[in-house]
Amino acid sequence: IDRAAVRVVRTLLAFTEAKDPQEYSAALCACEAHIALAREVAEKSITLLKNETHTLPFDATQTKKVVLVGDLGAVQNIGDHGSSHIMRAKADTVLEALKQRFGVENVTFIKTKDVGASVDKVYSADAVIIMAGMRHSDEGEYISTSTKIGGDRKVTLGLQPGDIEMIRQVGRINKNTAVVLIGGSMVMVDPWFEAVPAVVMAYYPGVQGGLATTRVLFGDVNPSGKIPFVIPHQESDLPQVDWLADEQVYGYYHGYAKLDKEGIQPKLPFGHGLSYTTFELSGSRLKSNLAGVAIFEVEVKNVGTCAGGEVVQLYSGWN
């Protein structure tokens, strides 16, 4: 409690002494270093959820024709339009990144509503990318039904019906197909998960999200992200929300701890994330345990065929 209080007071004092409004040089806004950092953050966050028969990464040397399916492929996926809204820099899109990489004439964009009439294009492509997920209107902060601002995902934690149907229609037509999920939190992957060979969670990848996503899909970057939530088989495995209630009370256990306590197997566990390479962990040991702080060490070795990073996870508990 004392440490928490110090952090709060320290922050208050810092802002009391700071100028208001904060003054930043115009040269810092969307500067080259910040844009590069945004791309690096996105690349290190993107999480590979599924990769049947090593569908990903797509073979960049053999890819000539790319098909991008889904409206979100041409959208700046930067999050809600509130505190995370990017106002100083023009965000890219996956469609723009693909055209820059492969040429305008080699990239075909298919809107969600036109999928049914575009099966032949999907079948003949060297790589198929399906974009599905959330917009700010789906999970931005809910304000009112009259203004239609925000969504808070009141109906379902899964994809919109149109996205599910889109994946079912074209997910298995071409073996070189991957779904890229957009969203700021957990997305239910049933009932469409088995209808596609590869799935990537890109979250809201930000101002350089299109380029970062493309670089991961085509193997320039090894995905090393891990999901910071559990994905259950059904929504009823999670705490339920009463949207009309004046108060909402959650029990002691929620998220992955709730499923673990109740002995429920998740669809994808907390901390899940695949890789294009393989890591070996060895020599784990407790280095020190002084003043109530335990320090662990482990040796991490990349024994695969490509460069990449790994997130080492340590879980502790008691009975």
Side-chain angles (χ1 to χ4, degrees), residues 45-50 199 201 203 222-229 268-277 279 309-311 313:
S45 302
I46 291 172
T47 307
L48 182 60
L49 301 182
K50 179 182 180 181
V199 181
M201 182 73 187
Y203 310 95
N222 176 66
S224 58
K226 310 294 181 184
I227 51 174
F229 42 71
L268 297 174
F270 179 94
H272 172 78
L274 304 176
S275 174
Y276 297 155
T277 188
F279 294 91
E310 173 69 328
V311 177
Q313 303 180 63

Side-chain angles (χ1 to χ4, degrees), residues 70-114:
D71 296 343
L72 286 177
V75 172
Q76 297 176 352
N77 296 306
I78 55 176
D80 66 38
H81 284 193
S83 58
S84 67
H85 187 43
I86 298 173
M87 303 175 66
R88 300 283 184 144
K90 181 185 181 300
D92 69 358
T93 68
V94 172
L95 180 58
E96 291 170 349
L98 289 172
K99 286 181 177 179
Q100 185 176 13
R101 181 171 187 139
F102 295 102
V104 174
E105 69 281 2
N106 295 318
V107 178
T108 300
F109 175 58
I110 302 172
K111 295 182 178 180
T112 303
K113 65 180 180 63
D114 298 329

